[in-house]
Amino acid sequence: GAVVSQHPSRVICKSGTSVKIECRSLDFQATTMFWYRQFPKQSLMLMATSNEGSKATYEQGVEKDKFLINHASLTLSTLTVTSAHPEDSSFYICSASYGGSGTDTQYFGPGTRLTVL
Amino acid sequence: GENVEQHPSTLSVQEGDSAVIKCTYSDSASNYFPWYKQELGKRPQLIIDIRSNVGEKKDQRIAVTLNKTAKHFSLHITETQPEDSAVYFCAARKAAGNKLTFGGGTRVLVKP
């Protein structure tokens, strides 16, 4: 149980275009989803926290107009990188948790490797 | 906000030896401390976690200890095997649903 999927697994795009990444909780309803970015040989850096039906909470330094997050249902959150540039190339990973006493573990998706040319 | 420091950044051990990774956290309100293992290009996988009402937890070859007073926690891997080679991350969190703050990671290499 507690499986999180991400799509696509890899994407290559041209500079200036937008890319949408989907994160789905397959066998549970995720009250909260998180989006992380991970550069090579570095730790996971939280970008934003999203709760179903409400606006995402962005971490300091993360541009909310550039990284659009939508959490329309309890099983789906999307991250759209708008007007992507080469410096946005990274490994984007989502995680999901379903809260509740003793059941608040974060489960990670497999990640999306974004390359912006 | 919370700050988590992790040491060492790299660790090389001989197969069969033990590996120990240490983390310190800054916020005394943190009460949940998971450890994740990440293989190259893969997702982080939860391997063990501990809550602040417990001092130690063990699962086969893996154990975690927590010292709330000193605000540090450690991961112990005994009888290491080559498949234990990966990057390990510690994390801390204040309450259910709140964000995890990750340590910088430890790259573990188990030499056969």
Side-chain angles (χ1 to χ4, degrees):
Chain A
V3 178
V4 178
S5 71
Q6 257 181 266
H7 178 80
S9 58
R10 290 179 181 271
V11 58
I12 301 173
C13 69
K14 293 182 179 179
S15 184
T17 60
S18 295
V19 173
K20 179 185 283 189
I21 303 169
E22 291 187 349
C23 176
R24 293 181 185 272
S25 55
L26 298 185
D27 52 0
F28 67 100
Q29 293 187 323
T31 52
T32 307
M33 287 186 169
F34 303 85
W35 286 95
Y36 296 84
R37 182 166 50 183
Q38 186 177 34
F39 292 108
K41 298 187 178 182
Q42 293 190 22
S43 188
L44 291 87
M45 298 302 296
L46 181 66
M47 298 175 68
T49 303
S50 73
N51 294 290
E52 184 261 343
S54 60
K55 290 185 178 180
T57 301
Y58 289 82
E59 293 300 298
Q60 192 171 7
V62 177
E63 300 174 59
K64 61 181 180 182
D65 294 330
K66 180 172 180 62
F67 299 100
L68 302 179
I69 292 172
N70 183 281
H71 193 159
S73 76
L74 284 172
T75 59
L76 173 64
S77 177
T78 60
L79 167 68
T80 301
V81 183
T82 63
S83 186
H85 287 94
E87 57 265 31
D88 298 323
S89 298
S90 186
F91 193 49
Y92 291 85
I93 313 177
C94 71
S95 71
S97 66
Y98 51 91
S101 177
T103 58
D104 48 4
T105 301
Q106 279 191 33
Y107 298 94
F108 284 84
T112 297
R113 187 161 301 282
L114 170 64
T115 303
V116 184
L117 302 177
Chain B
E2 176 66 279
N3 183 50
V4 179
E5 299 281 343
Q6 185 172 345
H7 298 281
S9 56
T10 59
L11 180 60
S12 181
V13 297
Q14 286 295 133
E15 182 177 359
D17 287 349
S18 295
V20 180
I21 304 170
K22 298 181 178 181
C23 288
T24 59
Y25 60 99
S26 61
D27 193 334
S28 57
S30 290
N31 60 4
Y32 174 66
F33 309 92
W35 286 88
Y36 288 88
K37 174 183 179 182
Q38 186 181 30
E39 297 178 6
L40 188 63
K42 301 286 182 65
R43 77 182 83 198
Q45 298 268 21
L46 179 71
I47 57 171
I48 196 167
D49 56 12
I50 192 167
R51 299 181 190 276
S52 59
N53 59 347
V54 176
E56 183 173 357
K57 184 177 178 180
K58 190 174 182 179
D59 182 4
Q60 299 183 338
R61 297 187 296 108
I62 294 172
V64 57
T65 59
L66 171 65
N67 183 327
K68 286 169 50 181
T69 302
K71 291 189 283 189
H72 66 69
F73 56 112
S74 301
L75 177 71
H76 303 252
I77 307 173
T78 59
E79 300 172 26
T80 54
Q81 301 166 4
E83 52 265 37
D84 294 330
S85 296
V87 179
Y88 292 80
F89 292 98
C90 63
R93 189 185 66 201
K94 286 194 284 187
N98 279 4
K99 59 186 181 182
L100 286 173
T101 300
F102 282 86
T106 297
R107 189 171 300 273
V108 174
L109 175 63
V110 180
K111 298 178 183 176

